[in-house]
Amino acid sequence: ALDSISDIVWSVNPENDSMEKALARMSAYASEMLENVGTELRFEVGEGVEALMLPMEKRKDFYLIFKEAIHNCAKYAQAKYIEIHLEVKNNTLILNIKDDGIGFDTKNVHQSMGGNGLKNMQRRAAAIGGTFSIQSNPGDGVTLHVAVPLVP
């Protein structure tokens, strides 16, 4: 509960509108979560991403999508390696997260996993005008893609 409150307070603070602060928070969260399960992390940020300004709602939902994805990786993936890449392309902020874990059958995800995490990520992406996709097969790891337009 305290973690959720901290995320809300951080996301509504106008001082955190810069992507530079969001990236620092994202990197710290991923490092801590993945280190606890022994997963090596590569966090790449493309040119121009740090200079972006994200309004409060986009920043909050984008961060919560990221956090859920990292949580799922730490809890379920059994990955040895995860790569996170953020870039700006065609006025769109793009997040790709790829792991080398055990993967899962995306067609039967609700039966096998039972949680709402993937549904929540998809809903949050849609709420900020973005797209969300996930690719995986058992034994093949997971690739998650989020694209958020930077214009209203």
Side-chain angles (χ1 to χ4, degrees):
L2 286 177
D3 210 23
S4 293
I5 292 170
S6 173
D7 289 340
I8 291 167
V9 169
W10 173 81
S11 71
V12 298
N13 185 343
E15 291 180 13
N16 296 324
D17 282 354
S18 77
M19 270 307 282
E20 185 178 5
K21 290 186 179 183
L23 291 168
R25 189 171 177 99
M26 291 164 70
S27 178
Y29 179 78
S31 294
E32 182 180 334
M33 287 294 289
L34 298 171
E35 183 179 301
N36 288 338
V37 295
T39 302
E40 182 183 336
L41 170 64
R42 181 173 180 180
F43 194 95
E44 295 181 340
V45 179
E47 188 177 325
V49 174
E50 287 184 354
L52 293 175
M53 299 296 280
L54 278 184
M56 176 183 60
E57 277 308 309
K58 281 191 177 184
R59 182 178 64 250
K60 180 187 80 164
D61 283 330
F62 185 78
Y63 176 72
L64 292 174
I65 291 167
F66 174 84
K67 190 174 174 182
E68 181 71 33
I70 298 304
H71 174 265
N72 286 351
C73 185
K75 188 172 181 179
Y76 302 112
Q78 300 175 29
K80 291 178 180 43
Y81 180 80
I82 182 172
E83 184 173 307
I84 299 167
H85 184 78
L86 290 113
E87 66 180 330
V88 177
K89 215 182 237 181
N90 300 324
N91 220 11
T92 302
L93 176 60
I94 299 169
L95 167 67
N96 287 303
I97 301 175
K98 182 171 177 47
D99 71 54
D100 66 353
I102 61 171
F104 62 93
D105 182 353
T106 58
K107 294 174 190 77
N108 297 318
V109 68
H110 300 295
Q111 295 164 351
S112 62
M113 298 169 117
N116 290 314
L118 295 177
K119 223 183 314 180
N120 287 341
M121 287 188 278
Q122 195 160 29
R123 182 182 50 77
R124 287 185 192 285
I128 57 176
T131 59
F132 171 86
S133 65
I134 194 159
Q135 298 170 330
S136 184
N137 287 304
D140 236 359
V142 173
T143 300
L144 178 136
H145 178 84
V146 179
V148 179
L150 296 171
V151 289

